[in-house]
Amino acid sequence: MSKNKDVELKNFFIFNSLYGPKEGEELKKILYYYPISDNADVQIKNVGLVEGIIQFTGTFKPSTPVNSLHTQKMRQLYFQPEKNMWIVLTLTLPTEVKGKDSSTQIEYLEDDVQDNVYEAVLKQAYYTYRLFWGTFEHTIENHDVGTLKTRLESFYKAYLKTLKLGHADILNVFHGIQYLPLDKLTFLKVQCFINSLECEYPEIAYTAFLYNDHLIWSGFEPKDMKIVYQYLIGTLLPANMEAELQGGSMPRNSVSPFAALHHGRFITGPTNLKTAKNVGKIPKVYLFASGKAESYNLVVYRALSASVCLFMRADKELSLQYFKDMDEFISPKLTAIVSDISEYCSKQVITPSNVPENAPRFIYFNKLNLAYKSTAHLDNKQTGNIACTKESLKIMADLNNKRSLLGHSSETIVKTMNDYWVVAKNSNSREFYVALQQKNASLIDISEEIKKLCDTELKGIFFHPL
Amino acid sequence: MSSNLEVEPGAASESVLVTTDSFDNFDHMSSSLEEIKNLNALAENDSNVENSNVENFDEISENLSINNEEDDFVQSKEWACKNKHVFVLSMAGKPIYSRYGNEDKLAWLFGVMQTLVSFVQSNEDTIRSIHAGDTKFVFLIKKPLILVAVSRTQESVNQLCSQLNYVFNQIASVLTLTRLNKIYEQRQNYDLRRLLAGVERLIDHLLDFSEKEPSFTLGAVQCLSLASSVRDNISSAIVGACSKIKNLVFAILLANNKLITLVRMKKYCLHPADLHLIFNLVQASESLKTAESWTPLCLPRFDASGFLYGHVSYLAEDCQACLLLLTVERDVFFALSEAKQRIVEKLRRSNCLEAINESLSAKEETCIVAGFPELRHYLYKCKSTAQFYQPSLTPPYTKYNERLTKLYKRAHNLLHCSTRPLKLLFEKNSDEAILAWDTRGFELYVVFEPLIDTNSAINSVGRLLNWIKKREEKLFHLNAPTF
């Protein structure tokens, strides 16, 4: 009976006003437009509104270009990643049907769509494109506008389908990386392995080492890493996990774990070295942290739960033999390391599912290395698999949004109408959010609880005493 | 903490003020005027009401000199970077009011705003707000007007909307909503500024006022501290002098932005939003101090369709409290003038004028004097009577009053978020700590020293509530006297 609707994508478009300055040429401004079911008139009208808003707001010299438009029924978010280039994401607001059968009323839930969350979604859409194709300007300079349009079309057609708008939350705002803390010895082994690999193959510019969804080592800027990380754990690795589970290249029926030491394979490049005739598909990626775009071939090698991502200088020709050699080099070393890591992890890791039901759930984020940890989310696939209420996550995002007004260190405790609590701590570029479902607790109890939690979970991390 | 819930200082069974959420849309306008008139079987001719003009407003607007200086100003960075712009325009895009700069010079801008509104409307949608970095653009469409705020003040969209609502009400209070609608029904292109000469000054003042005064954020009024016997004496003096005068709806005595007493006709209540407009009128009109005046006044929440007529005067040279006698009769100035004289005499005899003066010259106690050294400031609002109390400012807020206002507004906004309201907020940073608490009976916002720990904060709040409870008769207007 419930006709409540979740947030939905209404349209998504990219335009440059300089491309069609004359009347009648407005369509030329549009570089990409989704959905195609909107006819040219609608497209031109929508772009026109955005242009009007950009101009109108510019009159008042705000601190940044326009971010968003709120109307009764929809939300529009703006991002200007490059000069004169605008990306626009329009969402229809979620609705709730209020009242009884006779007099139902549709209510649009404006506050349920949080600007900071969806702004992050929009930005990620651009940065992911840029990872594979470089900047818009780059394509126009090296090719032409037509090529840019084709690239945008093929990229976003697929990308927009993967958006999980309904489950976007504060983690999108952080856009962080989950690290795997290791003991010194194991970490040193990983480090040694990477060093010897990079020595042996000087074509490798950077290396990143992941175990499951967790990053252990990355040799390049976190700013770039977070985009690569999102791509790896959001797209590339899950696709390969599926292949593995369906009995792909993993030797599933090996007699003994020691019998088949050759576990690894490339998941970009020649994925099956025995049958490969050529090097296969190797994605080209662009990294930007150095200030200008630099392109690399992204080769990912996976063994058991570990993934080694190699950023190879683009000018180096890669042959099949090269991959075969590298496989010989990596496989035995990596297999040994992975078993060390998994042994260490099995002693340490508590999976979120065996934490008691009403234990406090927290999210930690460090802006400096982009590390995050969440016990409020049961996986990191953005499927809405969460261990606290959706509302708590929204309150966390509210508090995150207000953070800048509070200075460099603060603590906020709030109690909701349903009598649960949300706490936000912020200090030294680190943020810590906790959701507590303790109905009859007092403010004093909650303060105590938070102190305890900080002592156990944030040992060694300095929070300004407040 | 829960034990404190039973203490609800300032609560009364009957309230002089209508109590509602401060953010509700002012769409619901009652039609009390008709009722009162019918009740008294007075065959007033309604068409006359519409003809009444604003010429009674004593000050004529300054000459709108249009010169080059103006031109430069509206294009200057200084103009663009004002903290809060407010614009009012008609649905057709005609300029009506701009807080800064001459409207005529900004005609193009009004045009753009109107276009944005109608563009979004063409999709059967309504524009609410635009966000750009530190600046919020808030649109309020109240037919037949469009109101826009462009603000860098960190106030929330709801808070800005409520200020725009006040501006709309201020305009309606001069013209009546009925007349406003009729004007635009007849001529869409009408230049409303012709009728609003002098009102700009009221709107200017209202905006300054609503930015600073916590009463607007809270949707409540503060009372002048008076011993309950004095307040009762004053009320009964007013009742005594006015009970014979028919159709007198409200008698309001106020001083220094604080309510002294409000006597009302049975069955009718005043909404705090209307009372804020009255406070604004009194504050903004210096001329009221010099002479008795007679002014038509529409109170939009009370009845947006017609005027009340107000006899406005200060009590005496030696007592700067302002008395407003509001009636539905348009020609009883002299009767009310006499009544006022009787009231003043009575108050003088019973030493009430002295008591008022004494309270006016004595500041409210600061937190330190009241025995709460760990507290810097607080706001206490009793919901059932729509009244609030605040102590005097102490450093650092004597110097940084704006910061305190921001702090309260932010806490108020978090507590009253429409889909995720909160019961309690305790926020600490390096500058201060604030505890905001919304219960069924009251709202409390307490600002502490930054290093306070939770236990002592809770402790202080409990003691504070008891402290207010003990003084409630003095701090609040608890009786709701009627004629």
Side-chain angles (χ1 to χ4, degrees), chain B residues 315-329:
Chain B
L315 284 186
E317 281 284 309
D318 59 342
C319 182
Q320 291 295 301
C322 184
L323 178 71
L324 293 100
L325 302 169
L326 301 178
T327 171
V328 292
E329 304 288 336

Side-chain angles (χ1 to χ4, degrees), chain B residues 254-283:
Chain B
L254 52 93
N256 193 19
N257 267 332
K258 290 175 187 156
L259 183 68
I260 296 173
T261 187
L262 193 163
V263 187
R264 69 208 168 93
M265 191 182 247
K266 271 198 194 76
K267 263 179 63 190
Y268 296 99
C269 283
L270 199 55
H271 193 280
D274 283 340
L275 197 52
H276 291 151
L277 289 182
I278 292 173
F279 276 66
N280 184 55
L281 173 73
V282 171
Q283 272 244 317

Side-chain angles (χ1 to χ4, degrees), chain B residues 25-27 29 86-89 91 96-97 140-147 160-178 180-181 184 192 196 199 203 206-207 277 298 300-301 304:
Chain B
N25 220 315
F26 290 21
D27 281 337
M29 308 253 189
V86 172
F87 305 102
V88 183
L89 52 149
M91 293 304 268
I96 295 172
Y97 170 81
L140 179 69
I141 297 154
K142 296 214 46 142
K143 278 180 183 149
L145 304 182
I146 299 170
L147 300 100
L160 292 166
C161 240
S162 134
Q163 285 169 19
L164 292 178
N165 230 325
Y166 270 108
V167 173
F168 180 83
N169 283 356
Q170 179 67 68
I171 293 171
S173 127
V174 175
L175 295 173
T176 77
L177 187 61
T178 313
L180 190 62
N181 283 326
Y184 284 106
L192 197 66
L196 292 179
V199 182
I203 300 176
L206 180 72
L207 288 170
L277 289 182
C298 168
R301 291 301 297 256

